[in-house]
Amino acid sequence: MLKYLIFDLDETLYPRNAGLMQQIGVLINRYLIERLGCTEAQAAELRARYYCEYGTSLRGLMAERSDIDPEDYLRFVHDIRLQDYIGPNPELAEMLRTIPLTKVIFTNSTAEHAKKVVELLGVADQFSILVDVRAMDYRSKPDAGAYQRMLDMLQAKGSECILVEDSARNLRPAKALGVQTILVDSADCDEVDYCVRDILAVKEAVEKAIGRWGDSNTRQAIGDMQ
């Protein structure tokens, strides 16, 4: 039986063209320049390599350097006026309200950043559990250990969960653990269970996943909430 609907945060709950993650990218480069003494070209190259090898710049820095304070990094790269990029999304709030699964945020960012994002979107009341980078001991998606740690925190089996992401790379480790996978706003659909055009189409994919598992009680609950 499906119990948990787990969402990535950035560029999943809001569209990638919002520009927020691009600004975080600017701050990551600035961190590498100001804290590590990189040139602009070196910072761009290092960030790209860390993304490919480790999933995030923070994980790469912590793996390769002993002088990195992860909290200093997280404060630096999240020093952004979020309201300049995102705002209320009543349609998203309504869509989430009609899905009777426990909703979880699973993010490589901090709890503070995640809470501000869902508050600005107007959906904070829909999420009862937040798993952030600290909860994963600074491990990050797509590190397989981060997914197992998340499942352990939920005391859940993979088969009880659906994960919604904007990155196919971040869905593959979840799928290997038996999690149903929904990819948002991407054409890289070969290795995931469902692809949807935008976040509002997630409900249809969830209904298909519930039907696939023969979960009649949850199907009835969705009908009752509509």
Side-chain angles (χ1 to χ4, degrees):
M1 179 178 177
L2 291 168
K3 297 180 180 178
Y4 296 99
L5 180 57
I6 305 164
F7 287 85
D8 173 53
L9 181 79
D10 291 303
E11 297 192 340
T12 296
L13 286 181
Y14 61 84
R16 66 181 81 247
N17 64 11
L20 175 54
M21 285 304 295
Q22 290 86 337
Q23 181 58 29
I24 288 177
V26 169
L27 291 175
I28 293 172
N29 284 359
R30 189 183 300 168
Y31 177 92
L32 297 174
I33 293 167
E34 295 183 11
R35 295 289 199 268
L36 274 63
C38 293
T39 65
E40 289 188 10
Q42 289 169 337
E45 181 180 354
L46 190 62
R47 182 178 160 220
R49 181 172 70 80
Y50 282 161
Y51 175 79
C52 290
E53 294 182 17
Y54 298 99
T56 65
S57 294
L58 176 59
R59 191 62 183 166
L61 288 166
M62 293 183 70
E64 297 188 2
R65 300 180 64 102
S66 60
D67 59 343
I68 296 300
D69 177 356
E71 290 300 317
D72 176 61
Y73 173 92
L74 291 168
R75 283 190 299 270
F76 193 105
V77 305
H78 290 108
D79 186 16
I80 297 174
R81 273 178 48 91
L82 296 178
Q83 59 268 38
D84 291 344
Y85 300 91
I86 55 176
N89 187 340
E91 291 180 297
L92 174 62
E94 178 62 16
M95 185 272 288
L96 293 172
R97 186 192 66 78
T98 62
I99 300 176
L101 298 173
T102 299
K103 299 169 192 78
V104 180
I105 295 291
F106 179 36
T107 177
N108 285 341
S109 68
T110 64
E112 296 91 335
H113 173 77
K115 288 176 182 177
K116 289 178 183 176
V117 168
V118 295
E119 286 169 2
L120 286 167
L121 291 172
V123 298
D125 62 329
Q126 293 299 314
F127 293 96
S128 55
I129 302 171
L130 197 165
V131 181
D132 76 339
V133 68
R134 295 189 192 99
M136 294 183 282
D137 196 25
Y138 302 105
R139 301 171 81 170
S140 53
K141 297 176 281 183
D143 184 324
Y147 299 79
Q148 187 59 60
R149 191 177 182 95
M150 180 267 296
L151 291 176
D152 291 344
M153 291 178 66
L154 296 178
Q155 297 184 321
K157 302 174 184 176
S159 59
E160 295 174 321
C161 303
I162 305 172
L163 177 60
V164 184
E165 262 274 2
D166 68 299
S167 165
R169 183 174 81 153
N170 287 351
L171 286 172
R172 293 178 193 122
K175 188 171 175 62
L177 291 170
V179 176
Q180 292 285 296
T181 53
I182 301 175
L183 181 63
V184 177
D185 188 25
S186 174
D188 189 13
C189 299
D190 291 344
E191 298 179 64
V192 303
D193 295 299
Y194 306 98
C195 265
V196 297
R197 64 188 180 279
D198 59 41
I199 191 65
L200 296 181
V202 163
K203 181 181 176 181
E204 181 180 351
V206 170
E207 290 174 342
K208 289 179 180 177
I210 289 169
R212 179 177 176 180
W213 285 88
D215 193 345
S216 59
N217 291 335
T218 307
R219 285 200 303 271
Q220 181 59 50
I222 287 178
D224 291 343
M225 295 176 75
Q226 291 177 341

